[in-house]
Short mmCIF file of all heavy atoms in Angstrom, two decimals:
data_model
loop_
_atom_site.label_atom_id
_atom_site.label_comp_id
_atom_site.label_asym_id
_atom_site.label_seq_id
_atom_site.Cartn_x
_atom_site.Cartn_y
_atom_site.Cartn_z
N MET U 104 27.04 -6.32 -0.18
CA MET U 104 26.74 -7.64 0.35
C MET U 104 26.34 -8.58 -0.79
O MET U 104 26.82 -9.66 -0.95
CB MET U 104 25.62 -7.53 1.38
CG MET U 104 25.51 -8.77 2.28
SD MET U 104 26.90 -8.96 3.42
CE MET U 104 26.20 -8.20 4.89
N SER U 105 25.41 -8.10 -1.63
CA SER U 105 24.92 -8.94 -2.71
C SER U 105 25.14 -8.25 -4.04
O SER U 105 25.01 -7.04 -4.14
CB SER U 105 23.43 -9.22 -2.51
OG SER U 105 22.90 -9.85 -3.66
N ASP U 106 25.46 -9.01 -5.04
CA ASP U 106 25.61 -8.42 -6.36
C ASP U 106 24.44 -8.78 -7.27
O ASP U 106 24.52 -8.69 -8.47
CB ASP U 106 26.94 -8.83 -6.99
CG ASP U 106 27.06 -10.34 -7.11
OD1 ASP U 106 26.10 -11.05 -6.70
OD2 ASP U 106 28.09 -10.82 -7.59
N ASN U 107 23.37 -9.19 -6.65
CA ASN U 107 22.18 -9.56 -7.42
C ASN U 107 21.48 -8.30 -7.91
O ASN U 107 20.96 -7.50 -7.13
CB ASN U 107 21.24 -10.39 -6.53
CG ASN U 107 20.07 -10.95 -7.34
OD1 ASN U 107 19.78 -10.47 -8.45
ND2 ASN U 107 19.40 -11.94 -6.80
N ALA U 108 21.44 -8.11 -9.20
CA ALA U 108 20.86 -6.90 -9.77
C ALA U 108 19.35 -6.84 -9.58
O ALA U 108 18.75 -5.79 -9.68
CB ALA U 108 21.19 -6.80 -11.25
N ASP U 109 18.74 -7.97 -9.30
CA ASP U 109 17.29 -8.01 -9.14
C ASP U 109 16.87 -7.76 -7.70
O ASP U 109 15.71 -7.93 -7.35
CB ASP U 109 16.73 -9.36 -9.60
CG ASP U 109 16.85 -9.52 -11.11
OD1 ASP U 109 16.89 -8.48 -11.79
OD2 ASP U 109 16.93 -10.66 -11.58
N THR U 110 17.82 -7.36 -6.87
CA THR U 110 17.51 -7.13 -5.47
C THR U 110 17.52 -5.64 -5.17
O THR U 110 18.50 -4.96 -5.42
CB THR U 110 18.53 -7.85 -4.56
OG1 THR U 110 18.50 -9.23 -4.86
CG2 THR U 110 18.20 -7.64 -3.10
N GLU U 111 16.40 -5.16 -4.64
CA GLU U 111 16.29 -3.76 -4.26
C GLU U 111 15.73 -3.66 -2.86
O GLU U 111 15.03 -4.56 -2.41
CB GLU U 111 15.37 -3.01 -5.23
CG GLU U 111 16.00 -2.77 -6.59
CD GLU U 111 15.04 -2.04 -7.51
OE1 GLU U 111 14.29 -1.19 -7.01
OE2 GLU U 111 15.04 -2.33 -8.71
N PRO U 112 16.04 -2.56 -2.17
CA PRO U 112 15.54 -2.44 -0.79
C PRO U 112 14.04 -2.19 -0.73
O PRO U 112 13.48 -1.48 -1.56
CB PRO U 112 16.32 -1.25 -0.24
CG PRO U 112 16.71 -0.45 -1.43
CD PRO U 112 16.90 -1.43 -2.55
N CYS U 113 13.42 -2.78 0.27
CA CYS U 113 12.03 -2.50 0.58
C CYS U 113 11.91 -1.05 1.02
O CYS U 113 12.78 -0.54 1.74
CB CYS U 113 11.58 -3.44 1.70
SG CYS U 113 10.05 -2.96 2.51
N GLU U 114 10.85 -0.37 0.59
CA GLU U 114 10.72 1.05 0.91
C GLU U 114 10.38 1.30 2.37
O GLU U 114 10.47 2.41 2.86
CB GLU U 114 9.65 1.70 0.01
CG GLU U 114 10.13 1.82 -1.42
CD GLU U 114 9.18 2.66 -2.27
OE1 GLU U 114 8.49 3.53 -1.71
OE2 GLU U 114 9.13 2.44 -3.48
N TRP U 115 9.95 0.26 3.06
CA TRP U 115 9.60 0.44 4.47
C TRP U 115 10.74 0.06 5.40
O TRP U 115 11.16 0.86 6.22
CB TRP U 115 8.35 -0.39 4.79
CG TRP U 115 7.09 0.40 4.64
CD1 TRP U 115 6.90 1.49 3.86
CD2 TRP U 115 5.84 0.15 5.29
NE1 TRP U 115 5.62 1.93 3.98
CE2 TRP U 115 4.94 1.13 4.84
CE3 TRP U 115 5.41 -0.82 6.20
CZ2 TRP U 115 3.62 1.17 5.29
CZ3 TRP U 115 4.09 -0.78 6.62
CH2 TRP U 115 3.21 0.22 6.18
N CYS U 116 11.22 -1.19 5.29
CA CYS U 116 12.20 -1.67 6.27
C CYS U 116 13.61 -1.58 5.72
O CYS U 116 14.57 -1.70 6.49
CB CYS U 116 11.87 -3.10 6.70
SG CYS U 116 12.00 -4.30 5.37
N GLY U 117 13.77 -1.35 4.41
CA GLY U 117 15.10 -1.22 3.85
C GLY U 117 15.79 -2.54 3.58
O GLY U 117 16.91 -2.56 3.08
N ASP U 118 15.14 -3.63 3.91
CA ASP U 118 15.72 -4.93 3.64
C ASP U 118 15.77 -5.18 2.14
O ASP U 118 14.86 -4.82 1.41
CB ASP U 118 14.87 -6.03 4.29
CG ASP U 118 15.23 -6.25 5.74
OD1 ASP U 118 16.07 -5.50 6.26
OD2 ASP U 118 14.65 -7.17 6.35
N ALA U 119 16.84 -5.81 1.72
CA ALA U 119 16.90 -6.20 0.32
C ALA U 119 15.86 -7.26 0.05
O ALA U 119 15.71 -8.21 0.81
CB ALA U 119 18.29 -6.73 -0.02
N VAL U 120 15.12 -7.06 -1.04
CA VAL U 120 14.10 -8.03 -1.39
C VAL U 120 14.21 -8.37 -2.87
O VAL U 120 14.25 -7.48 -3.72
CB VAL U 120 12.68 -7.52 -1.03
CG1 VAL U 120 12.46 -6.11 -1.56
CG2 VAL U 120 11.62 -8.45 -1.54
N ALA U 121 14.32 -9.65 -3.15
CA ALA U 121 14.47 -10.09 -4.53
C ALA U 121 13.21 -9.77 -5.33
O ALA U 121 12.10 -9.83 -4.80
CB ALA U 121 14.75 -11.58 -4.58
N ASP U 122 13.41 -9.43 -6.57
CA ASP U 122 12.30 -9.00 -7.41
C ASP U 122 11.10 -9.96 -7.41
O ASP U 122 9.96 -9.51 -7.29
CB ASP U 122 12.80 -8.81 -8.84
CG ASP U 122 12.40 -7.45 -9.37
OD1 ASP U 122 12.12 -6.55 -8.55
OD2 ASP U 122 12.36 -7.28 -10.60
N PRO U 123 11.32 -11.27 -7.52
CA PRO U 123 10.15 -12.17 -7.55
C PRO U 123 9.34 -12.14 -6.26
O PRO U 123 8.18 -12.54 -6.25
CB PRO U 123 10.77 -13.56 -7.77
CG PRO U 123 12.13 -13.29 -8.32
CD PRO U 123 12.57 -11.99 -7.73
N LEU U 124 9.95 -11.68 -5.17
CA LEU U 124 9.25 -11.68 -3.88
C LEU U 124 8.62 -10.33 -3.57
O LEU U 124 7.78 -10.22 -2.68
CB LEU U 124 10.24 -12.02 -2.76
CG LEU U 124 10.85 -13.42 -2.80
CD1 LEU U 124 11.85 -13.56 -1.66
CD2 LEU U 124 9.78 -14.49 -2.70
N SER U 125 9.02 -9.31 -4.30
CA SER U 125 8.56 -7.97 -3.96
C SER U 125 7.11 -7.76 -4.38
O SER U 125 6.59 -8.43 -5.27
CB SER U 125 9.43 -6.92 -4.63
OG SER U 125 9.17 -6.89 -6.01
N ARG U 126 6.46 -6.82 -3.70
CA ARG U 126 5.10 -6.43 -4.06
C ARG U 126 5.10 -4.92 -4.28
O ARG U 126 5.61 -4.17 -3.47
CB ARG U 126 4.13 -6.77 -2.94
CG ARG U 126 4.05 -8.23 -2.61
CD ARG U 126 3.25 -8.98 -3.66
NE ARG U 126 3.12 -10.39 -3.30
CZ ARG U 126 3.98 -11.33 -3.63
NH1 ARG U 126 5.06 -11.01 -4.29
NH2 ARG U 126 3.78 -12.57 -3.27
N THR U 127 4.51 -4.51 -5.39
CA THR U 127 4.34 -3.08 -5.62
C THR U 127 2.87 -2.75 -5.47
O THR U 127 2.03 -3.30 -6.16
CB THR U 127 4.83 -2.68 -7.01
OG1 THR U 127 6.20 -3.05 -7.15
CG2 THR U 127 4.70 -1.18 -7.20
N VAL U 128 2.59 -1.88 -4.52
CA VAL U 128 1.21 -1.50 -4.30
C VAL U 128 0.98 -0.09 -4.83
O VAL U 128 1.83 0.79 -4.70
CB VAL U 128 0.83 -1.55 -2.80
CG1 VAL U 128 0.83 -2.99 -2.31
CG2 VAL U 128 1.75 -0.70 -1.96
N ARG U 129 -0.16 0.10 -5.44
CA ARG U 129 -0.51 1.42 -5.94
C ARG U 129 -1.91 1.74 -5.43
O ARG U 129 -2.81 0.92 -5.52
CB ARG U 129 -0.53 1.45 -7.48
CG ARG U 129 0.83 1.23 -8.06
CD ARG U 129 0.85 1.63 -9.52
NE ARG U 129 2.10 1.22 -10.13
CZ ARG U 129 2.25 0.13 -10.89
NH1 ARG U 129 1.22 -0.62 -11.14
NH2 ARG U 129 3.41 -0.18 -11.38
N VAL U 130 -2.05 2.94 -4.94
CA VAL U 130 -3.35 3.39 -4.48
C VAL U 130 -3.82 4.49 -5.42
O VAL U 130 -3.11 5.46 -5.66
CB VAL U 130 -3.28 3.93 -3.03
CG1 VAL U 130 -4.68 4.36 -2.58
CG2 VAL U 130 -2.73 2.87 -2.10
N THR U 131 -5.01 4.30 -5.95
CA THR U 131 -5.54 5.33 -6.85
C THR U 131 -6.87 5.83 -6.32
O THR U 131 -7.66 5.07 -5.77
CB THR U 131 -5.75 4.79 -8.27
OG1 THR U 131 -6.75 3.77 -8.24
CG2 THR U 131 -4.46 4.22 -8.83
N VAL U 132 -7.08 7.12 -6.46
CA VAL U 132 -8.35 7.74 -6.12
C VAL U 132 -8.81 8.51 -7.34
O VAL U 132 -8.07 9.35 -7.87
CB VAL U 132 -8.21 8.68 -4.90
CG1 VAL U 132 -9.55 9.39 -4.64
CG2 VAL U 132 -7.77 7.92 -3.68
N ASP U 133 -10.03 8.22 -7.77
CA ASP U 133 -10.54 8.86 -8.98
C ASP U 133 -9.55 8.71 -10.14
O ASP U 133 -9.31 9.64 -10.90
CB ASP U 133 -10.83 10.34 -8.74
CG ASP U 133 -12.00 10.53 -7.80
OD1 ASP U 133 -12.87 9.64 -7.75
OD2 ASP U 133 -12.04 11.56 -7.12
N ARG U 134 -8.98 7.53 -10.25
CA ARG U 134 -8.03 7.19 -11.33
C ARG U 134 -6.72 7.95 -11.26
O ARG U 134 -5.92 7.91 -12.20
CB ARG U 134 -8.68 7.41 -12.71
CG ARG U 134 -9.87 6.47 -12.92
CD ARG U 134 -10.48 6.71 -14.27
NE ARG U 134 -11.76 6.00 -14.41
CZ ARG U 134 -12.59 6.17 -15.41
NH1 ARG U 134 -12.29 7.04 -16.35
NH2 ARG U 134 -13.71 5.51 -15.48
N SER U 135 -6.48 8.68 -10.17
CA SER U 135 -5.19 9.32 -9.99
C SER U 135 -4.38 8.53 -8.98
O SER U 135 -4.88 8.20 -7.90
CB SER U 135 -5.36 10.75 -9.49
OG SER U 135 -6.07 11.51 -10.43
N GLN U 136 -3.15 8.23 -9.32
CA GLN U 136 -2.31 7.49 -8.40
C GLN U 136 -1.85 8.41 -7.27
O GLN U 136 -1.27 9.46 -7.52
CB GLN U 136 -1.10 6.93 -9.14
CG GLN U 136 -0.20 6.11 -8.24
CD GLN U 136 0.87 5.36 -9.04
OE1 GLN U 136 0.56 4.56 -9.90
NE2 GLN U 136 2.11 5.66 -8.78
N ILE U 137 -2.14 8.00 -6.03
CA ILE U 137 -1.72 8.83 -4.89
C ILE U 137 -0.61 8.16 -4.10
O ILE U 137 0.02 8.78 -3.27
CB ILE U 137 -2.91 9.13 -3.95
CG1 ILE U 137 -3.50 7.84 -3.39
CG2 ILE U 137 -3.95 9.97 -4.65
CD1 ILE U 137 -4.50 8.09 -2.27
N ASP U 138 -0.36 6.89 -4.37
CA ASP U 138 0.69 6.22 -3.61
C ASP U 138 1.19 5.01 -4.40
O ASP U 138 0.41 4.34 -5.06
CB ASP U 138 0.14 5.78 -2.26
CG ASP U 138 1.25 5.46 -1.27
OD1 ASP U 138 2.43 5.77 -1.57
OD2 ASP U 138 0.96 4.90 -0.21
N SER U 139 2.49 4.77 -4.33
CA SER U 139 3.06 3.58 -4.95
C SER U 139 4.30 3.19 -4.16
O SER U 139 5.19 4.01 -3.95
CB SER U 139 3.44 3.88 -6.40
OG SER U 139 4.14 2.78 -6.95
N GLN U 140 4.31 1.97 -3.70
CA GLN U 140 5.44 1.56 -2.88
C GLN U 140 5.87 0.13 -3.21
O GLN U 140 5.04 -0.73 -3.49
CB GLN U 140 5.07 1.63 -1.39
CG GLN U 140 4.65 3.00 -0.94
CD GLN U 140 4.59 3.11 0.57
OE1 GLN U 140 5.56 2.91 1.26
NE2 GLN U 140 3.42 3.42 1.08
N ARG U 141 7.18 -0.08 -3.14
CA ARG U 141 7.72 -1.41 -3.39
C ARG U 141 8.09 -2.01 -2.03
O ARG U 141 8.91 -1.46 -1.32
CB ARG U 141 8.95 -1.29 -4.27
CG ARG U 141 9.50 -2.60 -4.77
CD ARG U 141 10.67 -2.33 -5.70
NE ARG U 141 11.16 -3.56 -6.31
CZ ARG U 141 11.94 -4.42 -5.68
NH1 ARG U 141 12.31 -4.20 -4.45
NH2 ARG U 141 12.35 -5.52 -6.30
N LEU U 142 7.45 -3.11 -1.71
CA LEU U 142 7.56 -3.65 -0.36
C LEU U 142 7.94 -5.12 -0.38
O LEU U 142 7.62 -5.86 -1.32
CB LEU U 142 6.22 -3.49 0.38
CG LEU U 142 5.66 -2.07 0.45
CD1 LEU U 142 4.27 -2.10 1.05
CD2 LEU U 142 6.56 -1.15 1.24
N CYS U 143 8.60 -5.54 0.70
CA CYS U 143 8.83 -6.96 0.89
C CYS U 143 7.52 -7.60 1.35
O CYS U 143 6.59 -6.90 1.76
CB CYS U 143 9.94 -7.18 1.93
SG CYS U 143 9.50 -6.74 3.62
N PRO U 144 7.41 -8.93 1.27
CA PRO U 144 6.13 -9.58 1.61
C PRO U 144 5.64 -9.23 3.02
O PRO U 144 4.44 -9.06 3.25
CB PRO U 144 6.46 -11.07 1.49
CG PRO U 144 7.57 -11.13 0.50
CD PRO U 144 8.40 -9.89 0.75
N GLU U 145 6.57 -9.11 3.96
CA GLU U 145 6.18 -8.83 5.34
C GLU U 145 5.59 -7.43 5.47
O GLU U 145 4.52 -7.23 6.06
CB GLU U 145 7.41 -8.96 6.25
CG GLU U 145 7.07 -9.10 7.71
CD GLU U 145 8.31 -9.38 8.53
OE1 GLU U 145 9.17 -10.14 8.05
OE2 GLU U 145 8.42 -8.81 9.63
N CYS U 146 6.27 -6.45 4.88
CA CYS U 146 5.77 -5.07 4.95
C CYS U 146 4.50 -4.93 4.12
O CYS U 146 3.62 -4.13 4.46
CB CYS U 146 6.84 -4.10 4.45
SG CYS U 146 8.22 -3.95 5.60
N PHE U 147 4.40 -5.69 3.06
CA PHE U 147 3.18 -5.66 2.25
C PHE U 147 1.97 -6.06 3.08
O PHE U 147 0.93 -5.41 3.05
CB PHE U 147 3.35 -6.59 1.04
CG PHE U 147 2.08 -6.76 0.25
CD1 PHE U 147 1.61 -5.73 -0.54
CD2 PHE U 147 1.36 -7.94 0.31
CE1 PHE U 147 0.44 -5.88 -1.28
CE2 PHE U 147 0.19 -8.10 -0.42
CZ PHE U 147 -0.27 -7.07 -1.21
N ALA U 148 2.13 -7.12 3.86
CA ALA U 148 1.04 -7.57 4.73
C ALA U 148 0.69 -6.48 5.74
O ALA U 148 -0.49 -6.20 6.00
CB ALA U 148 1.43 -8.85 5.45
N ASN U 149 1.71 -5.84 6.29
CA ASN U 149 1.46 -4.76 7.25
C ASN U 149 0.78 -3.57 6.58
O ASN U 149 -0.09 -2.93 7.16
CB ASN U 149 2.79 -4.30 7.88
CG ASN U 149 3.37 -5.34 8.80
OD1 ASN U 149 2.67 -6.22 9.30
ND2 ASN U 149 4.67 -5.28 9.03
N TRP U 150 1.21 -3.29 5.38
CA TRP U 150 0.64 -2.16 4.63
C TRP U 150 -0.85 -2.39 4.39
O TRP U 150 -1.68 -1.50 4.59
CB TRP U 150 1.40 -2.01 3.31
CG TRP U 150 1.02 -0.78 2.53
CD1 TRP U 150 1.62 0.44 2.59
CD2 TRP U 150 -0.06 -0.66 1.59
NE1 TRP U 150 0.99 1.31 1.73
CE2 TRP U 150 -0.04 0.66 1.11
CE3 TRP U 150 -1.03 -1.54 1.11
CZ2 TRP U 150 -0.96 1.13 0.17
CZ3 TRP U 150 -1.95 -1.07 0.18
CH2 TRP U 150 -1.90 0.25 -0.28
N ILE U 151 -1.19 -3.60 3.93
CA ILE U 151 -2.59 -3.92 3.68
C ILE U 151 -3.41 -3.81 4.97
O ILE U 151 -4.50 -3.24 4.97
CB ILE U 151 -2.71 -5.34 3.08
CG1 ILE U 151 -2.14 -5.36 1.67
CG2 ILE U 151 -4.15 -5.82 3.09
CD1 ILE U 151 -2.96 -4.57 0.65
N ASP U 152 -2.86 -4.33 6.06
CA ASP U 152 -3.56 -4.24 7.34
C ASP U 152 -3.84 -2.79 7.71
O ASP U 152 -4.94 -2.42 8.09
CB ASP U 152 -2.71 -4.88 8.46
CG ASP U 152 -2.85 -6.39 8.45
OD1 ASP U 152 -3.68 -6.91 7.68
OD2 ASP U 152 -2.13 -7.04 9.21
N ARG U 153 -2.82 -1.97 7.56
CA ARG U 153 -2.96 -0.57 7.94
C ARG U 153 -3.94 0.15 7.01
O ARG U 153 -4.78 0.93 7.45
CB ARG U 153 -1.59 0.12 7.88
CG ARG U 153 -1.55 1.38 8.72
CD ARG U 153 -0.19 2.01 8.71
NE ARG U 153 0.07 2.74 7.48
CZ ARG U 153 1.03 3.62 7.34
NH1 ARG U 153 1.85 3.87 8.33
NH2 ARG U 153 1.21 4.24 6.21
N PHE U 154 -3.83 -0.13 5.73
CA PHE U 154 -4.70 0.52 4.77
C PHE U 154 -6.16 0.15 5.03
O PHE U 154 -7.03 1.01 5.04
CB PHE U 154 -4.30 0.11 3.35
CG PHE U 154 -5.00 0.91 2.29
CD1 PHE U 154 -4.48 2.13 1.89
CD2 PHE U 154 -6.17 0.46 1.71
CE1 PHE U 154 -5.12 2.88 0.92
CE2 PHE U 154 -6.81 1.21 0.75
CZ PHE U 154 -6.29 2.42 0.35
N GLU U 155 -6.41 -1.13 5.26
CA GLU U 155 -7.78 -1.56 5.51
C GLU U 155 -8.32 -0.96 6.80
O GLU U 155 -9.49 -0.61 6.89
CB GLU U 155 -7.84 -3.09 5.54
CG GLU U 155 -7.71 -3.67 4.14
CD GLU U 155 -7.76 -5.19 4.15
OE1 GLU U 155 -7.63 -5.78 5.23
OE2 GLU U 155 -7.92 -5.77 3.07
N ALA U 156 -7.46 -0.83 7.80
CA ALA U 156 -7.88 -0.21 9.05
C ALA U 156 -8.26 1.25 8.83
O ALA U 156 -9.26 1.74 9.37
CB ALA U 156 -6.77 -0.32 10.09
N GLU U 157 -7.48 1.93 8.00
CA GLU U 157 -7.76 3.35 7.73
C GLU U 157 -9.03 3.52 6.92
O GLU U 157 -9.74 4.51 7.04
CB GLU U 157 -6.58 3.97 6.97
CG GLU U 157 -5.40 4.28 7.88
CD GLU U 157 -4.23 4.84 7.07
OE1 GLU U 157 -4.40 5.09 5.87
OE2 GLU U 157 -3.16 5.02 7.66
N MET U 158 -9.32 2.54 6.08
CA MET U 158 -10.46 2.65 5.18
C MET U 158 -11.74 2.08 5.78
O MET U 158 -12.78 2.11 5.15
CB MET U 158 -10.16 1.90 3.86
CG MET U 158 -9.16 2.63 3.02
SD MET U 158 -9.77 4.28 2.60
CE MET U 158 -8.39 4.92 1.69
N LYS U 159 -11.64 1.55 6.97
CA LYS U 159 -12.78 0.90 7.59
C LYS U 159 -14.00 1.84 7.61
O LYS U 159 -13.95 2.92 8.18
CB LYS U 159 -12.42 0.49 9.03
CG LYS U 159 -12.99 -0.87 9.40
CD LYS U 159 -12.61 -1.22 10.82
CE LYS U 159 -11.27 -1.94 10.87
NZ LYS U 159 -10.88 -2.28 12.24
N PRO U 160 -15.07 1.46 6.98
CA PRO U 160 -16.23 2.36 6.86
C PRO U 160 -17.06 2.44 8.13
O PRO U 160 -17.74 3.43 8.35
CB PRO U 160 -17.06 1.74 5.73
CG PRO U 160 -16.69 0.28 5.75
CD PRO U 160 -15.27 0.20 6.27
N GLU U 161 -17.00 1.41 8.98
CA GLU U 161 -17.86 1.41 10.16
C GLU U 161 -17.21 2.10 11.36
O GLU U 161 -17.58 1.89 12.49
CB GLU U 161 -18.25 -0.03 10.53
CG GLU U 161 -17.11 -0.89 11.03
CD GLU U 161 -16.50 -1.68 9.89
OE1 GLU U 161 -16.50 -1.19 8.74
OE2 GLU U 161 -16.02 -2.79 10.13
N GLU U 162 -16.23 2.92 11.07
CA GLU U 162 -15.56 3.67 12.13
C GLU U 162 -16.54 4.67 12.77
O GLU U 162 -17.15 5.47 12.07
CB GLU U 162 -14.38 4.42 11.52
CG GLU U 162 -13.52 5.12 12.54
CD GLU U 162 -12.35 5.80 11.85
OE1 GLU U 162 -11.60 5.10 11.16
OE2 GLU U 162 -12.22 7.02 11.98
N PRO U 163 -16.69 4.60 14.08
CA PRO U 163 -17.60 5.54 14.75
C PRO U 163 -17.09 6.97 14.62
O PRO U 163 -15.98 7.28 15.02
CB PRO U 163 -17.59 5.08 16.21
CG PRO U 163 -16.34 4.27 16.37
CD PRO U 163 -16.03 3.69 15.00
N ASP U 164 -17.90 7.82 14.04
CA ASP U 164 -17.48 9.19 13.79
C ASP U 164 -18.60 10.16 14.17
O ASP U 164 -19.64 10.22 13.51
CB ASP U 164 -17.15 9.34 12.30
CG ASP U 164 -16.45 10.66 12.01
OD1 ASP U 164 -16.40 11.52 12.92
OD2 ASP U 164 -15.97 10.83 10.89
N PRO U 165 -18.42 10.92 15.23
CA PRO U 165 -19.46 11.83 15.70
C PRO U 165 -19.67 13.02 14.76
O PRO U 165 -20.71 13.65 14.77
CB PRO U 165 -18.94 12.32 17.06
CG PRO U 165 -17.46 12.13 16.99
CD PRO U 165 -17.21 10.95 16.06
N THR U 166 -18.66 13.32 13.94
CA THR U 166 -18.79 14.43 12.98
C THR U 166 -18.52 13.91 11.58
O THR U 166 -17.40 13.97 11.10
CB THR U 166 -17.81 15.56 13.32
OG1 THR U 166 -16.49 15.02 13.37
CG2 THR U 166 -18.13 16.20 14.66
N PRO U 167 -19.55 13.39 10.94
CA PRO U 167 -19.38 12.79 9.61
C PRO U 167 -18.78 13.75 8.60
O PRO U 167 -19.21 14.89 8.49
CB PRO U 167 -20.81 12.42 9.20
CG PRO U 167 -21.58 12.37 10.47
CD PRO U 167 -20.92 13.35 11.40
N ASP U 168 -17.79 13.25 7.88
CA ASP U 168 -17.15 14.05 6.86
C ASP U 168 -18.02 14.06 5.60
O ASP U 168 -18.41 13.01 5.10
CB ASP U 168 -15.78 13.45 6.55
CG ASP U 168 -14.92 14.38 5.71
OD1 ASP U 168 -15.48 15.15 4.91
OD2 ASP U 168 -13.69 14.32 5.85
N PRO U 169 -18.34 15.22 5.07
CA PRO U 169 -19.19 15.28 3.86
C PRO U 169 -18.48 14.75 2.62
O PRO U 169 -19.11 14.45 1.63
CB PRO U 169 -19.49 16.77 3.70
CG PRO U 169 -18.40 17.47 4.46
CD PRO U 169 -17.99 16.54 5.56
N THR U 170 -17.15 14.63 2.67
CA THR U 170 -16.41 14.12 1.52
C THR U 170 -15.56 12.91 1.93
O THR U 170 -14.38 13.05 2.18
CB THR U 170 -15.51 15.19 0.91
OG1 THR U 170 -14.63 15.68 1.93
CG2 THR U 170 -16.31 16.35 0.36
N PRO U 171 -16.18 11.75 2.01
CA PRO U 171 -15.44 10.56 2.43
C PRO U 171 -14.32 10.21 1.45
O PRO U 171 -14.52 10.26 0.24
CB PRO U 171 -16.50 9.45 2.45
CG PRO U 171 -17.68 9.99 1.76
CD PRO U 171 -17.58 11.48 1.75
N ALA U 172 -13.18 9.86 1.99
CA ALA U 172 -12.01 9.62 1.14
C ALA U 172 -12.05 8.26 0.48
O ALA U 172 -11.34 8.02 -0.48
CB ALA U 172 -10.74 9.75 1.97
N SER U 173 -12.89 7.39 0.99
CA SER U 173 -12.86 6.01 0.50
C SER U 173 -13.79 5.77 -0.68
O SER U 173 -13.97 4.65 -1.10
CB SER U 173 -13.24 5.05 1.64
OG SER U 173 -14.50 5.40 2.14
N ASP U 174 -14.37 6.84 -1.20
CA ASP U 174 -15.37 6.70 -2.24
C ASP U 174 -14.90 5.91 -3.45
O ASP U 174 -15.50 4.92 -3.84
CB ASP U 174 -15.84 8.08 -2.70
CG ASP U 174 -17.32 8.27 -2.43
OD1 ASP U 174 -17.88 7.43 -1.71
OD2 ASP U 174 -17.89 9.25 -2.93
N ASP U 175 -13.82 6.34 -4.04
CA ASP U 175 -13.40 5.77 -5.31
C ASP U 175 -11.95 5.32 -5.24
O ASP U 175 -11.15 5.58 -6.12
CB ASP U 175 -13.57 6.82 -6.41
CG ASP U 175 -13.98 6.16 -7.72
OD1 ASP U 175 -13.99 4.92 -7.77
OD2 ASP U 175 -14.28 6.89 -8.68
N THR U 176 -11.63 4.61 -4.18
CA THR U 176 -10.26 4.22 -3.94
C THR U 176 -10.02 2.79 -4.39
O THR U 176 -10.79 1.90 -4.06
CB THR U 176 -9.91 4.36 -2.45
OG1 THR U 176 -10.14 5.70 -2.05
CG2 THR U 176 -8.47 3.99 -2.19
N ASP U 177 -8.95 2.59 -5.12
CA ASP U 177 -8.58 1.26 -5.55
C ASP U 177 -7.17 0.94 -5.08
O ASP U 177 -6.31 1.81 -5.04
CB ASP U 177 -8.62 1.15 -7.08
CG ASP U 177 -10.03 1.24 -7.61
OD1 ASP U 177 -10.92 0.62 -7.02
OD2 ASP U 177 -10.23 1.95 -8.60
N ILE U 178 -6.97 -0.31 -4.75
CA ILE U 178 -5.62 -0.78 -4.47
C ILE U 178 -5.21 -1.71 -5.60
O ILE U 178 -5.93 -2.66 -5.91
CB ILE U 178 -5.54 -1.54 -3.14
CG1 ILE U 178 -6.09 -0.69 -2.00
CG2 ILE U 178 -4.11 -1.96 -2.85
CD1 ILE U 178 -6.14 -1.43 -0.68
N ILE U 179 -4.10 -1.40 -6.21
CA ILE U 179 -3.59 -2.24 -7.29
C ILE U 179 -2.29 -2.88 -6.82
O ILE U 179 -1.40 -2.20 -6.33
CB ILE U 179 -3.34 -1.40 -8.56
CG1 ILE U 179 -4.63 -0.73 -9.00
CG2 ILE U 179 -2.76 -2.29 -9.67
CD1 ILE U 179 -4.42 0.42 -9.97
N VAL U 180 -2.21 -4.17 -6.95
CA VAL U 180 -1.00 -4.88 -6.52
C VAL U 180 -0.40 -5.60 -7.71
O VAL U 180 -1.08 -6.36 -8.38
CB VAL U 180 -1.32 -5.88 -5.41
CG1 VAL U 180 -0.05 -6.60 -4.98
CG2 VAL U 180 -1.95 -5.19 -4.23
N ASP U 181 0.86 -5.32 -7.97
CA ASP U 181 1.56 -6.02 -9.04
C ASP U 181 2.34 -7.18 -8.47
O ASP U 181 3.01 -7.01 -7.48
CB ASP U 181 2.54 -5.06 -9.75
CG ASP U 181 1.76 -4.03 -10.56
OD1 ASP U 181 0.62 -4.31 -10.92
OD2 ASP U 181 2.33 -2.97 -10.81
ZN1 ZN P 244 10.03 -4.52 4.20
#
């Protein structure tokens, strides 16, 4: 369809997304990268929403986990 070399598919929806519009998100825990995805702006917004929902600290939890996953987590966006 397109011969634009700067266009690659979004890892979520598969839509072609031009390089200047793409977002690459990286999640690191204890300085180790655990996730990296190249997303279109729409999926990026959804990803952030989902990530923040998962990381929500005030989640009611009757059995507290002794090793919370959100301790040293960073989101890096290029
Ligand atoms: Zn997408």
